């Protein structure tokens, strides 16, 4: 995309759609794989849908950016914990891809309690000409076998199969909110409200507890873990954020249990902004390392902050996502919207960041030019190859023709989940049960 974010021209396409959406169809996570050729979504019904990018053809070069359904499978089913009399939802909380090592793809998906490692592979041939059984699978009478046949592989319609290779369960008392694959690609971590566990991808019956913030007396509980992520190239380093607006960076070389953090990132609160809602809106909903590993980004209710790992005292940059909602916090508290958890993502070069808002708006901030833009993911402007027009929210006074009043924002429409292609300017935005793909304008 052009450096000038205000004049950004973005093509749109509209992928996953149900006219009559049920609760199960609501998209709960979106993730590109490491090459950007595949895009996975998870939903509240426990399904994973994988989209594959169209290959470029000479006849239709503009179709290169389009994604079509590659595979759909049921990742998690609803369960019941009989010991605690609790229903365990099938909703997919997070999906993380593993780097591709061979022809197959591998991804981790998790609901509240169980992480699964899935293998997604193609089958374009089937074996025929067995000696001991017919082509339809029936066992042949050995006395009728008069000659030895060599089985051959015959072409068949391409099948994409998803098979669970590992199931990592029974390690979390509380709800899993994050999973992150380590840069050694041998281990990953899963985080719930009070604990973080380290797993080996090959071992399902044992994990190591690396963070435990559960107090001896639960009445003394003052904060919970909200997100956690491994450093992109230092396999010993990870961060986790809390509901108090703090981020702790830990080094696994220091101790087996990372009770003592190596670095502690917190912005001092401005006393003039102190209110009843201060603690709620300071809770961090997402934390993401930059691709370079030098910075990290955190999202709280009203802002996105970029931190330099070498400076703990305050963020390097702060971007106001929807500051016009500050006067609406009381009604947002009453309708529970103040507890919404928005994600944030970097572009491939760490120069632009993106995060969601209400009314199906999403915001982009260019770190170099300091320009920002508000765009809308909606059916009206999502005809293929349509160009998105920047939107503006009017806070008070006279409203211009192209502005929308803060009082007419639809808080039931929200962009919580989004993803950015690892190397190109292609973004995926989940709006309730619809998935939108936007890309740079192709001339």
């Amino acid at each position: 995309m052009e450096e000038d974010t205000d004049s950004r021209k973005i093509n749109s396409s509209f992928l996953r759609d149900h006219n009559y959406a049920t609760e199960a169809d609501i998209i709960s996570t979106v993730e590109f794989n490491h090459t950007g050729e595949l895009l996975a979504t998870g939903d509240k019904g426990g399904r994973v849908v994988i989209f594959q990018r169209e290959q470029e053809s000479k006849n239709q070069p503009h179709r290169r950016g389009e994604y079509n359904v590659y595979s759909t499978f049921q990742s998690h089913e609803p369960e019941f914990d009989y010991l605690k009399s609790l229903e365990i939802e099938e909703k997919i909380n997070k999906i993380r891809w593993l780097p591709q090592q061979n022809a197959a793809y591998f991804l981790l998906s998790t609901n509240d309690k169980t992480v699964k490692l899935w293998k997604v592979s193609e089958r374009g041939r089937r074996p025929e000409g067995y000696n001991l059984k017919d082509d339809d699978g029936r066992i042949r009478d050995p006395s009728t076998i008069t000659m030895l046949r060599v089985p051959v592989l015959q072409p068949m319609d391409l099948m994409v199969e998803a098979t669970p290779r590992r199931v990592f369960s029974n390690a979390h008392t509380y709800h899993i909110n994050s999973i992150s694959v380590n840069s050694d690609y041998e281990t990953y971590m899963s985080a719930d409200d009070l604990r973080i566990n380290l797993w080996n991808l090959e071992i399902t019956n044992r994990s190591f507890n690396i963070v435990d913030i559960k107090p001896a007396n639960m009445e003394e509980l003052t904060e919970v873990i909200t997100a956690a992520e491994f450093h992109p190239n230092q396999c010993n380093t990870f961060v986790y954020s809390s509901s108090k607006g703090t981020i702790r960076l830990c080094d696994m070389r220091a101790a087996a249990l990372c009770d003592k953090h190596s670095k502690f990132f917190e912005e001092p609160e401005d006393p003039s902004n102190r209110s009843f809602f201060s603690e709620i809106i300071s809770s961090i909903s997402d934390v993401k390392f930059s691709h370079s590993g030098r910075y990290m980004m955190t999202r709280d209710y009203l802002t996105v902050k970029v931190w330099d790992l070498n400076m703990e005292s305050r963020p390097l940059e702060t971007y106001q996502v929807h500051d016009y909602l500050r006067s609406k916090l009381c009604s947002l508290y009453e309708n529970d919207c103040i507890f919404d958890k928005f994600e944030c993502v970097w572009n491939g070069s760490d120069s632009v960041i993106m995060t969601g808002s209400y009314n199906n708006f999403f915001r982009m901030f260019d770190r170099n030019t300091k320009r920002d833009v508000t765009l809308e993911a909606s059916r009206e402007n999502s005809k293929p190859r349509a160009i998105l027009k920047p939107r503006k929210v009017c806070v008070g006074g006279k409203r211009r023709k192209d502005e929308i009043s803060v009082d007419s924002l639809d808080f039931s429409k929200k962009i919580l989940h989004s993803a950015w292609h690892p190397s190109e300017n292609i973004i995926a935005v989940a709006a309730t049960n619809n998935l939108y793909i936007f890309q740079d304008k192709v001339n």
Side-chain angles (χ1 to χ4, degrees), residues 10-17 66 360 362 376-389 429 431 434-438:
I10 302 180
N11 276 341
S12 66
S13 60
F14 181 56
L15 281 190
R16 185 176 166 173
D17 167 37
E66 293 190 6
N360 279 359
F362 59 97
E376 183 181 5
S378 70
R379 299 180 120 173
E380 289 72 43
N381 59 17
S382 67
K383 296 177 182 69
R385 323 239 80 74
I387 292 174
L388 291 189
K389 294 182 177 66
V429 173
N434 299 318
L435 179 68
Y436 299 86
I437 300 276
F438 302 109

Side-chain angles (χ1 to χ4, degrees), residues 155-424:
M156 60 178 266
D157 291 339
L158 185 69
M159 273 178 59
V160 181
E161 297 177 317
T163 49
R165 300 307 300 267
R166 305 272 187 279
V167 177
F168 307 88
S169 55
N170 304 323
H172 284 277
T173 309
Y174 307 98
H175 290 178
I176 298 172
N177 56 46
S178 304
I179 50 175
S180 179
V181 181
N182 199 346
S183 59
D184 62 11
Y185 303 134
E186 287 183 14
T187 56
Y188 77 92
M189 68 177 172
S190 54
D192 66 24
D193 297 335
L194 298 177
R195 297 189 181 102
I196 300 176
N197 293 332
L198 180 70
W199 300 82
N200 187 298
L201 284 161
E202 299 293 325
I203 301 168
T204 59
N205 60 356
R206 187 172 71 246
S207 65
F208 295 96
N209 182 226
I210 53 174
V211 172
D212 189 346
I213 64 167
K214 183 174 185 281
N217 178 5
M218 282 295 272
E219 289 178 7
E220 296 168 8
L221 182 69
T222 58
E223 64 181 332
V224 294
I225 297 166
T226 55
E229 187 175 60
F230 268 120
H231 191 279
N233 44 48
Q234 295 172 10
C235 62
N236 53 283
T237 306
F238 68 94
V239 292
Y240 69 92
S241 58
S242 90
S243 56
K244 277 194 162 179
T246 61
I247 310 104
R248 292 171 175 85
L249 184 140
C250 302
D251 188 339
M252 291 192 292
R253 296 173 301 186
L257 187 65
C258 300
D259 280 347
K260 295 184 174 64
H261 48 265
S262 304
K263 293 189 176 184
F264 183 77
F265 300 83
E266 183 179 28
E267 183 173 30
E269 189 183 22
D270 181 356
S272 63
N273 280 340
R274 179 82 190 152
S275 74
F276 170 76
F277 306 107
S278 293
E279 198 165 311
I280 301 172
I281 63 172
S282 67
S283 175
I284 292 171
S285 55
D286 196 16
V287 58
K288 293 270 172 63
F289 277 110
S290 63
H291 296 86
S292 66
R294 171 69 191 270
Y295 307 101
M296 67 178 173
M297 166 170 57
T298 58
R299 171 73 209 257
D300 57 38
Y301 190 65
L302 294 177
T303 66
V304 172
K305 292 170 183 166
V306 175
W307 302 78
D308 187 325
L309 294 191
N310 298 327
M311 185 170 75
E312 301 165 56
S313 57
R314 59 188 171 83
L316 199 63
E317 301 154 22
T318 300
Y319 299 98
Q320 299 295 334
V321 178
H322 38 216
D323 201 49
Y324 47 78
L325 296 182
R326 203 174 282 277
S327 60
K328 302 274 177 200
L329 292 177
C330 194
S331 56
L332 290 165
Y333 178 76
E334 286 171 3
N335 64 16
D336 279 350
C337 284
I338 201 168
F339 301 106
D340 284 335
K341 293 174 168 50
F342 292 94
E343 295 173 5
C344 50
V345 289
W346 300 88
N347 73 337
S349 62
D350 300 332
S351 60
V352 182
I353 55 182
M354 175 175 70
T355 191
S357 181
Y358 293 104
N359 208 68
N360 279 359
F361 288 171
F362 59 97
R363 305 268 283 131
M364 287 183 175
F365 302 94
D366 192 312
R367 298 180 59 212
N368 298 326
T369 64
K370 302 302 177 194
R371 288 201 172 102
D372 64 87
V373 67
T374 302
L375 299 168
E376 183 181 5
S378 70
R379 299 180 120 173
E380 289 72 43
N381 59 17
S382 67
K383 296 177 182 69
R385 323 239 80 74
I387 292 174
L388 291 189
K389 294 182 177 66
R391 303 299 307 265
K392 281 196 168 57
V393 177
C394 165
V395 180
K398 204 167 182 184
R399 184 170 67 87
R400 292 199 195 130
K401 194 176 93 170
D402 58 342
E403 290 181 338
I404 182 168
S405 164
V406 68
D407 295 316
S408 54
L409 293 174
D410 187 342
F411 292 105
S412 66
K413 294 178 176 176
K414 52 193 97 167
I415 306 285
L416 300 177
H417 314 288
S418 54
W420 201 308
H421 189 288
S423 56
E424 295 181 40

Side-chain angles (χ1 to χ4, degrees), residues 37 39 45 107 148 236 409:
E37 291 301 301
L39 171 64
L107 62 84
L148 192 64
N236 53 283
L409 293 174

Side-chain angles (χ1 to χ4, degrees), residues 89 155 227 428:
E89 278 188 313

